[in-house]
Amino acid sequence: MSRSAHPAGPRHADVLTEGHYSAPAADLNVLDEKVWSRTVTRDADGALTVGGIAVARLAEEFGTPAYFLDESDFRARCRAWSEAFGPDADVFYAGKAFLSRAIVRWLKEEGLNLDVCSGGELTTALDAGMPAERIAFHGNNKTAAEIERAVEAGVGRIVLDSFQEIVRVAHIARSHGVRQRVQIRVTVGVEAHTHEFIATAHEDQKFGIALADGQAAEAVRRALGLDSLELIGIHSHIGSQIFDMAGFEVSARRVVQLLAEVRDEHGVELPEIDLGGGLGIAYTSDDDPREPHEIAKALSDIVTRECESAGLRTPRISVEPGRAIVGPTAFTLYEVGTIKPLEGLRTYVSVDGGMSDNIRTALYDAEYSVALVSRTSEAEPMLVRVVGKHCESGDIVVKDAFLPADLAPGDLIAVPATGAYCRSMASNYNHALRPPVVAVRDGEARVIVRRETEEDLLRLDVG
Ligand SMILES: *Cc1c(COP(=O)(O)O)cnc(C)c1O
């Protein structure tokens, strides 16, 4: 949920006017490095370049709309996470943020593990050569067929999400003659929002098994009683786009309490805990995300402290960043089609994509930034709303932002930080063709997911 839609009211409500937009940046031509991928800069002509290639060339070669993903930034973020957590912890990239075979190969090369949550994601991971033991399989309603494939492939862990699933996975593992490594996902009663969290006894959501009322302890009892399951630990994931580490503090404390109960009741110290993902990134200049090494230190301090006070050995920690790795590494490039000034309100800028390539604004009231990238401009800032071409008035890409007042049809504009949950949630609404993802690195650009074609649409429509 975005700040402006938060039940607690918008942050800075006192300084924001009605649209909740911040004041325009002093210079609209400056690309804030917080929201753009690392190799983005402006060249001598004022055009944005990524990986050394100017956007005009990218637009010409690959068309618009398109996602451009900064491969060296992606790899650097993978390394930063794995170095921050070190050899005694495991980093799982959450594939649902954005997954393709190229991504899987980069993850493999950079030493990361991978979370999948469907048969399709599992197939992509295995096809691109991710070793099965580095894959974790998630989801609140995995089908029997998906569980079979995961067990047959030999995935490193299946994260059990319900009492039914404990039995289901145990049964399938037994019929394959294997002892499947599993974790149990618990809900710890932490509702984490961007800038705050609420600790409750219960969580009203579909995932996991509640710690409350001894539910999770009962799940552990059942899993430990089944020979075909090897229970390696407890999993908890508290939300998304989180900046406040206090939510993780409560979550880790409650999970460690469960580990202590398990030891007291069964004489077993479960060796692992997984604290999930959900770490925030900068979508606008107002956001201040933490660096991986700060997050790693904070999480490991919390777990170590809680375990010491419970007299437990410190378990191996895993984390599952998705957005924090891929989110900042891509931007969406659009061409401006029409411009409608609404006197006294704002100017509507229509682009050649929209809610089919970025549903987050409509779905979560998410905030984004935008910049004119095919040139610089010295014109005054104008308040704009960037909208798509879909038959839907909620088809908004950027709710409130400033672009130069001399913006014209044919200009290229780009929305940064669209690497996560944009292509992966893209749709064919209005029979839109989903845009390509183009990886850019060291002066070379290559398509890693091609643009959909009208033939693709017709192929599915069997008439
Ligand atoms: C979605 C999800 C993640 C990743 O969340 P991000 O916000 O992308 O970091 C990690 N773990 C689980 C279980 C998830 O469902």
Side-chain angles (χ1 to χ4, degrees), residues 94 96 115 138 185 235 237 240 276-279 320-323 421:
K96 71 182 200 232
D115 273 2
H138 283 268
R185 177 160 174 177
H235 180 283
H237 170 74
S240 60
L279 299 144
E320 305 173 316
R323 183 194 319 267
Y421 306 107

Side-chain angles (χ1 to χ4, degrees), residues 379-449:
E380 287 297 299
M382 68 173 167
L383 178 63
V384 301
R385 178 161 288 175
V386 179
V387 297
K389 57 180 288 163
H390 296 283
C391 301
E392 156 79 45
S393 54
D395 172 25
I396 298 169
V397 179
V398 184
K399 242 183 331 183
D400 294 302
F402 289 90
L403 284 171
D406 65 351
L407 190 75
D411 277 333
L412 297 174
I413 63 176
V415 174
T418 58
Y421 306 107
C422 286
R423 181 59 182 78
S424 68
M425 296 179 103
S427 80
N428 288 122
Y429 182 45
N430 295 141
H431 284 200
L433 304 171
R434 288 177 295 175
V437 181
V438 180
V440 186
R441 182 186 179 186
D442 300 335
E444 281 176 34
R446 83 192 157 92
V447 173
I448 59 171
V449 178

Side-chain angles (χ1 to χ4, degrees), residues 119-181:
E121 289 183 359
L122 178 62
T123 298
T124 304
L126 293 172
D127 187 87
M130 179 59 83
E133 64 273 14
R134 282 165 59 182
I135 299 175
F137 194 30
H138 283 268
N140 68 303
N141 189 16
K142 309 166 189 78
T143 66
E146 286 172 328
I147 296 168
E148 292 244 18
R149 276 166 58 203
V151 168
E152 273 167 22
V155 299
R157 59 180 66 165
I158 296 180
V159 181
L160 303 172
D161 198 89
S162 64
F163 284 101
Q164 287 88 351
E165 206 168 71
I166 294 172
V167 181
R168 232 170 252 164
V169 172
H171 176 77
I172 291 170
R174 179 172 312 117
S175 70
H176 284 77
V178 300
R179 189 145 189 263
Q180 177 63 49
R181 288 159 64 87

